[in-house]
Amino acid sequence: MANREALKDFQARLAVRLQEARDEGVSVSSWLAVESAGGRFLLPLAQLGEIFPWGGAQSVPYTRSWFMGVTNLRGTLTGVVDLAGLLGSVQPRSEQVLLESSVLALNGALEVNAALLVDRLAGLRGVQAFVASEPSAQGAPAYFGSAYVDEQGMRWQELDLQALSRHPAFLSISA
């Protein structure tokens, strides 16, 4: 229960900060930074919906290992995709890690009832938070955007969630 309250507080603070930045004409953050199975990702805020604590999912037989199952998010049956698993990670997660995970619903405008499971929310980021960028690597999935490097030398991969939601691998959950 405390985890849900902390998440609600985070969302409230996030909404207030975004509105204050808009009111002051400050450059607004473009991404929600997340970590999943050791990977660092930037998810466009405009393509995200709500953030939920991991509450489990009903497994679905004969689906890929990265499809966690379905869950009820505010009355909508939503498929939950393990972001790291979708991207090829086979790193197992303990129950403790899952309890600390978050589920990020995709924006309804993407017209797919899906959410992404991530290990950790790392805050908001804008272009000003990075010292370098480079285009996606040759052969990278179509939904990979630019890669950004922060002041600590950590690499963050931008993901285009609209392109991801249309990608055949994302849409094909059957095993």
Side-chain angles (χ1 to χ4, degrees), residues 42 127-135 146-151 154-156:
L42 300 171
V127 176
Q128 69 279 2
F130 300 99
V131 295
S133 69
E134 55 192 49
S146 296
Y148 294 85
V149 178
D150 63 18
E151 292 176 348
M154 293 188 199
R155 188 175 204 278
W156 295 82

Side-chain angles (χ1 to χ4, degrees), residues 95-162:
E95 282 299 315
Q96 182 62 35
V97 169
L98 281 173
L99 287 173
E100 296 171 1
S101 297
S102 296
V103 175
L104 310 175
L106 299 184
N107 191 309
L110 299 180
E111 298 179 344
V112 61
N113 286 347
L116 301 174
L117 176 74
V118 298
D119 294 342
R120 189 175 89 76
L121 303 175
L124 298 174
R125 300 288 192 283
V127 176
Q128 69 279 2
F130 300 99
V131 295
S133 69
E134 55 192 49
S136 61
Q138 191 163 356
Y143 49 86
F144 271 35
S146 296
Y148 294 85
V149 178
D150 63 18
E151 292 176 348
Q152 290 77 35
M154 293 188 199
R155 188 175 204 278
W156 295 82
Q157 179 63 57
E158 179 184 22
L159 298 181
D160 180 345
L161 299 180
Q162 183 172 16

Side-chain angles (χ1 to χ4, degrees), residues 44-86:
L45 288 173
Q47 297 174 351
L48 286 172
E50 285 189 75
I51 302 169
F52 299 90
W54 171 251
Q58 180 65 46
S59 65
V60 178
Y62 309 111
T63 57
R64 298 195 185 263
S65 61
W66 48 260
F67 188 73
M68 302 297 290
V70 293
T71 192
N72 181 344
L73 299 179
R74 296 214 189 272
T76 301
L77 191 60
T78 304
V80 180
V81 172
D82 176 8
L83 178 61
L86 175 67

